[in-house]
Amino acid sequence: MNIGEIARRSGVSRSTVSYALSGKRPVAEETRRRIQAVIDELDYRPNAAARALKEGRTRTIGLVIPPASQRLTDVQLGFVASVVDAAARADLDILLSPSGGEHDRSFERVVTGSRVDGVILMEIRLEDDRVARLRRSGLPFVGIGHTSRSDEMTWVDIDYETLMARCVRHLADLGHRHIALVNRSAELVAAGYGPSHRAQLGFTGALAERGLQGVQVCCADDAQAGRSCVERLLAAHPELTAIATINEAAIPGMYRALTHARLAVPGDFSITGVAARHWAENLHPPLTAADILADELGARAVELLIQRISDPDAPFRHLLVAPPISLRETTGPARSRADRP
Amino acid sequence: MNIGEIARRSGVSRSTVSYALSGKRPVAEETRRRIQAVIDELDYRPNAAARALKEGRTRTIGLVIPPASQRLTDVQLGFVASVVDAAARADLDILLSPSGGEHDRSFERVVTGSRVDGVILMEIRLEDDRVARLRRSGLPFVGIGHTSRSDEMTWVDIDYETLMARCVRHLADLGHRHIALVNRSAELVAAGYGPSHRAQLGFTGALAERGLQGVQVCCADDAQAGRSCVERLLAAHPELTAIATINEAAIPGMYRALTHARLAVPGDFSITGVAARHWAENLHPPLTAADILADELGARAVELLIQRISDPDAPFRHLLVAPPISLRETTGPARSRADRP
DNA sequence: TCGATTGCTCGAATCGGTTCGACTGAACTT
DNA sequence: AAGTTCAGTCGAACCGATTCGAGCAATCGA
């Protein structure tokens, strides 16, 4: 069922069929109709590989996600969903690559072999081999997140530094003097994960600005870890009255630790952070948090990638977003734990 | 940077390079090394489109997911993750298609145009146009879920009927006599969504078996709806002491409605259902539920698809899984609401 | 009326691989 | 010594599209 078959059945040459389909040269209306009839009858569709081979582009973009074995956070899922959605609207297909370690076959396949016209890269570290690999390959790409050399590529990112500073200032305004930052896993932080690093900066910066005390801890990305982490925090730092966190996955466990310690939220203890809106709203009680607008960010990444593909020599562009904190039900005036009835 | 360039630089013909790479004919060790050196130096990778064109297969499978705009449940995400993972292990790439309505361009592109070697279809309805479309196209495919004519295709599915029956029996064993089934959205049920329909069967079957009373309601797939749905249920049916549900997304709202009505779980009211393990464990309190083993199911779907691709004429195969209920903290002995202190 | 333009179509080249048939020596049989 | 086998290599055909140059009529402008 190839173009030759269509040509034969409609009594024209293969090139005429091609022109009838693409409209790149005039074709007599009568001829066009005849060809279309045959196409409809046989339900013909041009072979994508042949077209890609000749045209030198695939109308497909690669989306590099964290390895599937590792559970994605709601924010990450939001990125994926919005990228997929935006790509579909632009009539682009998405090739998914769960990229893990160093020499990942899936990543290699996507980056090399002219499989895609461009790549969107998620979960970027401050020093990221994949960025180097992509730059070497010459393939257009856009990061959701960025490395320590922020001008070496086009990216969109969440401004974790500003967001965390806002969380701290919000808590400070409520009278909290001793705040803990619960970061993401020690491995991520050690690996130079950008959001963790920038959240630290925002945290320490805002503490200094308000002359407050703070402790920072790492916590694996799951509820279990969140619970034991907070239990340890409460025991070691009786003066704490609030937590700020970027560790979405650990939050349910943190809630549980507080409940278990008979600390009412927000009466006795405040907690705030950065999370996907749905997630924050569905918590019990709903979390006061900076709502990450994953939808917008993913769509913008696709947009920027399309621009890069059409003009690979244009200067790199950057987009940093910092949504305001949505007040819900987990932050309130500070009350020393020692004062509790 | 094509195979001709490699051939020229290593002083052999293009076919020899091809054979050196594929090993399909013997190549002198010395020649092979020379070719490999040139390939390494130039970082050459065969063009995927050219290969696909000649070989007639793409080493890529399509994964048709619900439209991205519609939030995926944790169970669905589990399917996606496990399919992606299993495909990566089998060195297959994944082309993602968020398929929505009738004539969806993304779905059409994936199904036609020889873009993929096979398709995995999620969220199948009892009557599903996409199944018909795929059957007509002749493309091998495997469903996660199945239609009303279960023998027209290969599929894997969760045995919602058995699971729901187990939930009801579990509640009955605890003494509950009046149980509500909270199904998924009215649109889905009306559209003939398989899991909803089968859950109904299991529910009514088990009720009859134990001689119990029950009510069934539909509920949109979000927390807000879950809350108002349960509020209405409690008001309209004071005799209810337990809920069984397959509506994962609505559960947080249902918890909230119960809390708001001052019904302790599981002291005053029991709730159980079908959910992803992580999700159930992270709820507060953790949900007694049949844990859906999304990981296994997705991997099996990939496995069956690979088999179908290699032998398209083999008979269809089916896999129905029904994991047992994991007892957590949301079901307990029935206590009439009228008896409450 | 003649040359130029325009509309429409065809044939051939091309994209970058894979694969088949054929050829050449060298090694092995008998 | 003649015939077989086999490792190793090459050239050409092929997969299914797109696109360029060219050709032929019909129409236009001068």
Side-chain angles (χ1 to χ4, degrees):
Chain A
M1 196 78 61
N2 54 24
I3 198 172
E5 180 74 14
I6 306 298
R8 198 170 327 115
R9 296 216 192 197
S10 29
V12 297
S13 73
R14 302 192 306 148
S15 44
T16 300
V17 175
S18 179
Y19 288 126
L21 247 45
S22 71
K24 295 193 179 173
R25 280 196 191 175
V27 169
E29 182 53 25
E30 143 71 14
T31 313
R32 210 196 51 69
R33 253 200 303 272
R34 210 168 58 236
I35 293 172
Q36 192 57 51
V38 176
I39 287 177
D40 289 344
E41 187 199 335
L42 271 63
D43 197 24
Y44 161 80
R45 294 284 184 289
N47 179 298
R51 173 176 284 176
L53 175 57
K54 185 70 206 336
E55 290 189 333
R57 58 177 185 148
T58 56
R59 299 161 193 272
T60 303
I61 64 179
L63 177 59
V64 178
I65 60 174
S69 53
Q70 160 188 338
R71 250 191 132 56
L72 300 196
T73 65
D74 244 50
V75 170
Q76 294 172 330
L77 287 171
F79 287 148
V80 173
S82 66
V83 166
V84 168
D85 214 39
R89 272 199 302 275
D91 276 330
L92 290 169
D93 284 320
I94 293 259
L95 202 58
L96 217 53
S97 164
S99 93
E102 297 301 289
H103 31 70
D104 188 298
R105 293 203 307 277
S106 162
F107 180 74
E108 275 303 309
R109 279 201 307 270
V110 168
V111 172
T112 62
S114 317
R115 225 171 261 271
V116 298
D117 298 337
V119 169
I120 288 179
L121 195 57
M122 281 179 59
E123 287 294 281
I124 296 182
R125 312 203 158 169
L126 288 177
E127 305 295 325
D128 203 306
D129 290 343
R130 300 169 304 170
V131 169
R133 181 78 191 81
L134 276 164
R135 298 198 62 185
R136 249 188 302 133
S137 78
L139 204 58
F141 71 102
V142 171
I144 297 183
H146 62 289
T147 64
S148 57
R149 286 174 303 287
S150 66
D151 53 353
E152 67 178 353
M153 56 182 278
T154 288
W155 48 261
V156 301
D157 206 352
I158 296 164
D159 188 351
Y160 280 98
E161 185 173 349
T162 299
L163 291 186
M164 186 45 68
R166 280 193 191 145
C167 288
V168 170
R169 288 193 204 108
H170 169 59
L171 291 171
D173 290 344
L174 288 167
H176 296 271
R177 317 296 303 162
H178 298 272
I179 305 172
L181 164 61
V182 177
N183 211 315
R184 293 186 58 188
S185 72
E187 294 81 41
L188 272 178
V189 173
Y193 181 60
S196 287
H197 181 241
R198 296 189 193 100
Q200 281 180 0
L201 291 180
F203 184 72
T204 51
L207 285 180
E209 176 189 311
R210 299 296 182 99
L212 305 182
Q213 304 288 312
V215 297
Q216 299 187 25
V217 291
C218 292
C219 172
D221 295 7
D222 63 85
Q224 213 67 20
R227 176 164 187 171
S228 54
C229 171
V230 169
E231 279 168 353
R232 260 177 287 123
L233 265 181
L234 294 176
H237 302 274
E239 73 283 8
L240 279 182
T241 59
I243 284 176
T245 184
I246 60 166
N247 193 326
E248 212 179 79
I251 292 177
M254 297 166 59
Y255 273 43
R256 233 169 293 162
L258 293 171
T259 307
H260 194 77
R262 305 201 176 283
L263 289 169
V265 173
D268 301 320
F269 204 91
S270 289
I271 174 166
T272 179
V274 175
R277 172 190 293 242
H278 263 81
W279 172 259
E281 283 175 347
N282 281 344
L283 280 172
H284 191 40
L287 182 73
T288 291
D291 294 339
I292 292 180
L293 307 172
D295 289 3
E296 189 204 328
L297 225 50
R300 297 292 311 231
V302 171
E303 210 175 284
L304 288 173
L305 181 59
I306 291 172
Q307 287 175 18
R308 265 207 91 57
I309 290 171
S310 65
D311 182 6
D313 298 323
F316 295 124
R317 299 180 53 185
H318 311 126
L319 178 69
L320 206 51
V321 303
I325 291 179
S326 293
L327 298 180
R328 298 200 183 87
E329 305 166 25
T330 58
T331 52
R335 172 168 14 150
S336 161
R337 279 196 271 154
D339 300 348
R340 277 190 301 144
Chain B
M1 195 77 62
N2 54 23
I3 199 173
E5 180 73 13
I6 305 298
R8 198 167 330 114
R9 297 214 191 197
S10 27
V12 296
S13 73
R14 302 193 307 148
S15 46
T16 301
V17 176
S18 179
Y19 288 127
L21 248 44
S22 70
K24 295 192 178 173
R25 278 196 192 177
V27 169
E29 183 53 26
E30 144 71 13
T31 313
R32 209 196 52 69
R33 253 200 303 271
R34 210 169 57 237
I35 293 172
Q36 191 57 52
V38 176
I39 287 178
D40 289 346
E41 188 199 334
L42 271 63
D43 198 23
Y44 161 81
R45 295 284 185 290
N47 180 299
R51 174 175 282 174
L53 175 57
K54 184 68 198 354
E55 289 190 334
R57 60 179 182 144
T58 58
R59 299 163 193 273
T60 302
I61 64 178
L63 177 59
V64 177
I65 60 175
S69 53
Q70 161 188 340
R71 249 189 133 58
L72 302 195
T73 65
D74 244 50
V75 169
Q76 293 172 330
L77 287 171
F79 288 148
V80 173
S82 65
V83 166
V84 168
D85 214 39
R89 272 200 300 277
D91 277 330
L92 290 170
D93 285 320
I94 293 262
L95 202 58
L96 216 52
S97 165
S99 92
E102 297 301 289
H103 32 69
D104 189 299
R105 294 204 305 279
S106 161
F107 180 74
E108 274 303 309
R109 280 201 306 272
V110 168
V111 172
T112 61
S114 316
R115 223 171 262 271
V116 297
D117 297 337
V119 169
I120 288 179
L121 195 57
M122 281 179 59
E123 288 294 282
I124 296 181
R125 311 201 158 171
L126 287 178
E127 304 295 326
D128 203 305
D129 291 342
R130 300 169 304 171
V131 169
R133 181 78 189 80
L134 277 164
R135 297 197 63 184
R136 250 188 302 132
S137 79
L139 204 58
F141 71 101
V142 171
I144 297 184
H146 63 288
T147 64
S148 57
R149 285 176 302 288
S150 66
D151 53 354
E152 67 179 353
M153 57 183 278
T154 288
W155 48 261
V156 300
D157 205 352
I158 296 164
D159 188 351
Y160 280 97
E161 183 171 351
T162 299
L163 291 187
M164 186 46 66
R166 280 195 191 144
C167 288
V168 170
R169 288 193 204 108
H170 169 59
L171 291 170
D173 290 344
L174 287 166
H176 295 271
R177 316 295 303 161
H178 298 272
I179 305 173
L181 164 62
V182 177
N183 211 316
R184 292 187 57 187
S185 72
E187 294 81 41
L188 272 178
V189 173
Y193 181 61
S196 288
H197 182 241
R198 295 187 194 101
Q200 280 180 359
L201 291 180
F203 184 72
T204 50
L207 286 181
E209 176 190 313
R210 299 295 182 98
L212 305 182
Q213 304 288 313
V215 297
Q216 299 187 24
V217 291
C218 293
C219 172
D221 294 8
D222 62 86
Q224 214 67 21
R227 177 167 186 169
S228 53
C229 171
V230 169
E231 280 168 355
R232 259 176 287 124
L233 265 181
L234 294 176
H237 301 275
E239 73 285 7
L240 278 183
T241 59
I243 284 176
T245 184
I246 60 165
N247 193 327
E248 212 181 78
I251 292 177
M254 297 166 61
Y255 273 42
R256 233 168 294 161
L258 293 171
T259 306
H260 194 77
R262 305 201 176 283
L263 289 170
V265 173
D268 301 319
F269 204 92
S270 289
I271 173 166
T272 180
V274 176
R277 172 191 293 241
H278 263 81
W279 171 260
E281 284 176 347
N282 281 343
L283 281 172
H284 190 40
L287 181 74
T288 291
D291 296 338
I292 292 179
L293 307 172
D295 290 3
E296 188 203 330
L297 225 49
R300 297 292 310 230
V302 171
E303 209 174 286
L304 287 173
L305 181 58
I306 290 172
Q307 287 175 17
R308 266 208 90 56
I309 290 171
S310 66
D311 182 6
D313 298 322
F316 295 124
R317 298 181 53 187
H318 311 125
L319 178 68
L320 206 52
V321 304
I325 291 178
S326 293
L327 297 180
R328 298 201 183 87
E329 306 168 22
T330 58
T331 52
R335 172 169 13 152
S336 161
R337 279 196 271 153
D339 300 348
R340 274 192 303 147

